[in-house]
Amino acid sequence: MTLFKLALRNLLGAGLRTWLNVVVLSFSFVVIIWMQGVLKGMNNQAVTSLVDAEYAGGQFWHENYDPYDPLSLQDAHGKLPDELKDLVEKEKATPVLIIQGTAYPEGRMTTLLIKGIDPDQKIISLPSFFLNEKTGEIPAVIGNRMSENTGLKAGDTVTLRWRDVNGTFDARDALIVQVMRTTVQSIDQGQIWIPLDKLRELSDMEEEATLLIVEKNILDPPQVNGWEFKSLDFLVKDITQLVKTKTSGSSIFYVILLLLAMLAIFDTQVLSLFRRKKEIGTLMAMGFTRAKIIGLFTIEGAMHAVLAALVAALYGIPFLIWFAKTGWPIPESMDSYGFALGEKIFPVYGAGLVVGTTLLILLVTTLVSYLPTRKIAKLKPTDALRGKIS
Amino acid sequence: MQNSALIKTQDLVKIYPVGWKELVALDHVSLEFQTGEFAGLVGPSGSGKTTLLNIVGSLDTPTKGDAVVMGKKISSLSHKQAAALRKKHIGFIFQTFNLLPVYNVYENVEISLLLLGLTHEERKKKVMQALEWVKLADRVKSRPAQLSGGQCQRVAIARAVVKEPAIILADEPTANLDAENSYNILETMVDLNKELDTTFIFATHDEKVIRYLRRKITLFDGRVTKDEQVTPQGKGENP
Ligand SMILES: Nc1ncnc2c1ncn2[C@@H]1O[C@H](COP(=O)(O)OP(=O)(O)OP(=O)(O)O)[C@@H](O)[C@H]1O
Ligand SMILES: [Mg+2]
């Protein structure tokens, strides 16, 4: 108790130097919490968009389906077993058939995935209802990135070519009825959506599907042979990982900031041990043990973090709240990151984040404050009182 | 002579290694001090005065021989035990005052009591009383930087006496003070010595201090060359 009082008085007595350290350290507080909040918000947003647009409550995959191996698609389709058909009939799931194809927009050849989906499905937010349009050609929907890459616009016709189940080539014209704006790249880039029935018919894969998307919050999905259930946790794991790797560079920034703050405190500690040697000797003469004096100086250093937390709260809380409300417009370049984001990121700050950051900074500051004070353990009272450099 | 002296040194030797050689700072010093003494170590610079005070004050340890202070053998005290002895029984007064600059007068004196487990009220009473003794009760809020040298040394005296230690060790307490302030300080210390029976041991070559001593111990090259009872003259007619 008394050590805390003495330490606080020493710290405040040091004036400007203390406040400089405190301000730098408080920046670390706010920036770490802010950046982590943005990343959390980003992740949440990416996951939410993915869940809405693609995963819903999870997916059953045909046992041969491997999204990372397009060549496997050839064998990754099959008739739905009864248990799964039952789900589709109860509108608790919607099947998707995927085959590989080629398109010739503006005369250039491009490979793509042709995905068949029920135009009336309500399981995912993909605007499949556009596929209900009556047209002589095959109605098709593509995403805005696909549109940009291929130059295809609503009303354009494009020739699609594919192999049917027997391996023979076939081709047909599709009419782009809608370009959907979506933030989710994995329902957009390199693919074209057409009605499921049509695709089944064209590929000669009646009643077949590659995967089955089940509704959100489904309770115990059935176990079926040849079809594997992929839970939501499994499906979003990749994206969470992707967000992490794509954004890990940004943490360098606050590591550097924290490092600077720690350097400043370390420097202050070393300097104050050096300058206050006589004071240390005087305290020893008054009967303070070395341990008490080490404690005093360590607390003094660690209190930088306490003051910084207070200062950070002072300007940080209004800033962070304002920020969480207005959001952060996403720079154009981040679209290439490969995960879905809205127009703006809204940071999410959890209590764990704030408490964790505070504890981390307090811990690191205490350690950095303690390290130089170990010198005191070897200091003789007479040398300290003389105040000379040893 | 009493049987158990407050302080007793027995063939005390302190040797400092200096380069390849050894420097004998104290050479078989045997002395006794009784409670209530007002004694001074005098002698030329380098004769070992500070070294002796430091060992008696348990800030340093003997090379050979021993000092027994309030029944404790200095040579066998751990760092912690030495700190405990200083905390309760020994007050120091330094040539350079050694006040802590960020604390005010009151706080500087209070630090001395912080380790003794007193309540806030008890501390306050003692601090104010000590500041009355040194006539600085009206400056409790001042910082050391706002005080004169004499006032600073009076704060340091208050800090030393506030815990009413058995022994006060004062190393050149007047060296940084003018004559007027030196006499003030000395009068204060004589009063405290009389009032509280505190034992004072000085290390000094200041003639003004010597005029107040009741016992004068002369050191030369680490040896006691003279140990005499003297009649204190006080400020006298020729300050
Ligand atoms: N830490 C040390 N290391 C080496 N030698 C030392 C040390 N401290 C003191 N000495 C030497 O011991 C001798 C006695 O020193 P001491 O400080 O006790 O003298 P003093 O009588 O107090 O002198 P002064 O009147 O100048 O204060 C001196 O020769 C000094 O150089
Ligand atoms: Mg000396």
Side-chain angles (χ1 to χ4, degrees):
Chain A
M1 181 58 216
T2 46
L3 282 188
F4 277 93
K5 243 171 77 183
L6 291 179
L8 187 64
R9 222 171 284 163
N10 285 339
L11 200 56
L12 297 179
L16 190 62
R17 204 180 167 84
T18 297
W19 291 112
L20 279 176
N21 287 339
V22 164
V23 166
V24 174
L25 195 53
S26 78
F27 276 141
S28 311
F29 263 102
V30 175
V31 168
I32 290 179
I33 292 175
W34 173 68
M35 284 194 127
Q36 294 279 9
V38 167
L39 295 191
K40 184 99 194 294
M42 216 185 244
N43 187 51
N44 282 6
Q45 223 165 306
V47 168
T48 310
S49 324
L50 267 177
V51 168
D52 285 350
E54 198 180 1
Y55 295 151
Q59 297 179 340
F60 281 95
W61 287 3
H62 184 270
E63 59 186 351
N64 293 336
Y65 178 56
D66 176 359
Y68 298 111
D69 178 12
L71 294 177
S72 74
L73 271 178
Q74 221 167 329
D75 306 313
H77 54 85
K79 287 199 178 7
L80 288 173
D82 287 344
E83 295 99 316
L84 298 186
K85 244 193 223 160
D86 191 45
L87 284 177
V88 176
E89 265 153 37
K90 285 184 182 146
E91 295 192 350
K92 284 174 180 293
T94 191
V96 175
L97 179 63
I98 309 173
I99 66 171
Q100 222 187 349
T102 325
Y104 298 88
E106 297 171 337
R108 286 180 295 121
M109 188 186 94
T110 172
T111 56
L112 42 58
L113 297 179
I114 306 170
K115 294 188 173 179
I117 189 162
D118 175 9
D120 297 319
Q121 64 80 26
K122 301 271 184 305
I123 304 291
I124 54 174
S125 67
L126 185 112
S128 53
F129 53 86
F130 286 113
L131 300 175
N132 277 324
E133 190 160 314
K134 298 281 171 279
T135 158
E137 286 121 355
I138 305 165
V141 167
I142 57 173
N144 46 310
R145 290 178 195 76
M146 182 68 175
S147 162
E148 234 165 74
N149 294 346
T150 56
L152 289 171
K153 286 178 277 300
D156 289 355
T157 301
V158 63
T159 306
L160 297 178
R161 211 166 89 110
W162 66 92
R163 280 171 194 263
D164 69 12
V165 74
N166 306 314
T168 37
F169 279 105
D170 200 352
R172 204 67 71 84
D173 277 352
L175 173 72
I176 309 296
V177 292
Q178 182 70 26
V179 173
M180 60 179 174
R181 274 202 72 80
T182 177
T183 57
V184 181
Q185 298 193 15
S186 48
I187 60 165
D188 176 347
Q189 217 121 45
Q191 53 196 280
I192 189 164
W193 294 85
I194 66 172
L196 179 65
D197 289 344
K198 203 80 191 171
L199 185 59
R200 281 173 168 171
E201 178 196 321
L202 295 174
S203 60
D204 214 3
M205 299 178 188
E206 284 311 319
E207 293 192 27
E208 293 195 20
T210 304
L211 53 87
L212 183 78
I213 309 170
V214 300
E215 68 172 2
K216 283 183 192 171
N217 309 320
I218 187 158
L219 297 169
D220 52 346
Q223 294 259 353
V224 277
N225 260 349
W227 294 78
E228 275 171 62
F229 182 69
K230 302 292 181 187
S231 70
L232 212 46
D233 284 345
F234 171 85
L235 292 169
V236 300
K237 205 159 63 197
D238 282 354
I239 199 72
T240 308
Q241 199 55 46
L242 188 64
V243 172
K244 258 196 199 130
T245 48
K246 288 280 182 186
T247 53
S248 63
S250 56
S251 60
I252 293 281
F253 184 66
Y254 62 70
V255 167
I256 288 174
L257 199 62
L258 193 60
L259 227 59
L260 280 178
M262 288 305 120
L263 204 68
I265 287 173
F266 189 82
D267 184 57
T268 302
Q269 287 291 90
V270 171
L271 196 78
S272 95
L273 283 171
F274 176 79
R275 281 192 319 196
R276 290 159 63 190
K277 210 161 198 178
K278 202 172 202 168
E279 178 180 330
I280 293 171
T282 308
L283 291 174
M284 284 174 163
M286 280 193 281
F288 281 71
T289 58
R290 286 169 181 149
K292 275 232 162 63
I293 297 170
I294 287 176
L296 178 67
F297 275 78
T298 304
I299 293 171
E300 224 177 286
M303 268 187 181
H304 282 111
V306 178
L307 292 182
L310 296 177
V311 171
L314 217 64
Y315 69 86
I317 288 176
F319 166 75
L320 293 174
I321 289 178
W322 169 79
F323 206 86
K325 277 199 183 127
T326 46
W328 187 39
I330 293 170
E332 202 64 20
S333 65
M334 278 179 78
D335 196 51
S336 62
Y337 274 20
F339 46 87
L341 296 168
E343 311 274 295
K344 277 178 162 190
I345 297 173
F346 294 92
V348 178
Y349 321 107
L353 170 63
V354 175
V355 173
T357 308
T358 310
L359 285 182
L360 174 83
I361 293 184
L362 193 63
L363 203 80
V364 175
T365 312
T366 308
L367 188 71
V368 164
S369 306
Y370 165 71
L371 289 177
T373 64
R374 287 175 310 166
K375 254 186 164 167
I376 295 173
K378 281 176 265 154
L379 190 60
K380 289 208 293 195
T382 45
D383 290 335
L385 274 170
R386 228 177 284 127
K388 282 196 201 125
I389 312 140
S390 58
Chain B
M1 274 267 164
Q2 279 164 268
N3 235 354
S4 57
L6 182 71
I7 299 165
K8 185 174 175 173
T9 71
Q10 192 74 57
D11 287 324
L12 187 60
V13 175
K14 182 71 184 181
I15 297 172
Y16 291 111
V18 178
W20 298 103
K21 288 192 276 181
E22 289 183 335
L23 190 141
V24 181
L26 291 176
D27 189 1
H28 296 275
V29 172
S30 299
L31 286 169
E32 280 190 18
F33 295 90
Q34 310 301 329
T35 301
E37 282 205 56
F38 203 79
L41 309 170
V42 301
S45 185
S47 57
K49 305 182 293 290
T50 298
T51 305
L52 181 55
L53 275 197
N54 282 345
I55 292 174
V56 167
S58 79
L59 291 170
D60 209 347
T61 48
T63 309
K64 265 185 264 165
D66 213 340
V68 180
V69 179
M70 306 199 65
K72 302 267 194 305
K73 285 178 139 184
I74 296 296
S75 64
S76 55
L77 291 182
S78 69
H79 170 81
K80 255 186 156 167
Q81 290 167 322
L85 177 69
R86 294 194 294 270
K87 175 174 79 180
K88 288 204 196 76
H89 302 301
I90 303 173
F92 290 89
I93 295 170
F94 305 98
Q95 176 180 342
T96 50
F97 321 142
N98 293 19
L99 299 181
L100 306 185
V102 300
Y103 302 109
N104 64 29
V105 166
Y106 181 93
E107 292 160 347
N108 259 290
V109 177
E110 191 189 20
I111 290 183
S112 231
L113 299 176
L114 284 181
L115 298 174
L116 295 177
L118 303 172
T119 66
H120 178 76
E121 283 68 33
E122 287 169 324
R123 287 205 300 269
K124 184 163 184 181
K125 209 175 129 213
K126 282 175 185 284
V127 171
M128 289 318 293
Q129 190 182 23
L131 286 172
E132 299 280 355
W133 283 331
V134 298
K135 304 191 177 62
L136 278 173
D138 54 337
R139 300 299 300 267
V140 285
K141 288 271 187 273
S142 304
R143 306 235 160 202
Q146 300 162 323
L147 300 176
S148 72
Q151 288 169 326
C152 281
Q153 196 59 303
R154 269 146 63 197
V155 176
I157 293 171
R159 181 177 69 185
V161 299
V162 69
K163 60 188 179 189
E164 300 183 26
I167 304 158
I168 287 184
L169 304 174
D171 196 353
E172 318 270 11
T174 56
N176 282 330
L177 300 177
D178 60 17
E180 182 65 25
N181 273 312
S182 298
Y183 285 121
N184 271 335
I185 299 275
L186 284 160
E187 298 284 349
T188 307
M189 291 197 276
V190 169
D191 288 349
L192 288 167
N193 169 255
K194 280 191 187 136
E195 211 164 311
L196 303 172
D197 214 17
T198 310
T199 305
F200 278 81
I201 305 177
F202 296 85
T204 188
H205 29 221
D206 181 356
E207 197 51 45
K208 297 186 285 301
V209 177
I210 296 168
R211 297 168 70 94
Y212 281 82
L213 298 177
R214 294 202 296 275
R215 178 181 174 193
K216 186 169 137 189
I217 300 157
T218 311
L219 289 180
F220 190 83
D221 268 355
R223 274 187 310 265
V224 178
T225 54
K226 219 185 210 180
D227 182 355
E228 52 193 332
Q229 302 293 326
V230 289
T231 317
Q233 298 164 290
K235 191 173 170 182
E237 307 82 43
N238 49 337

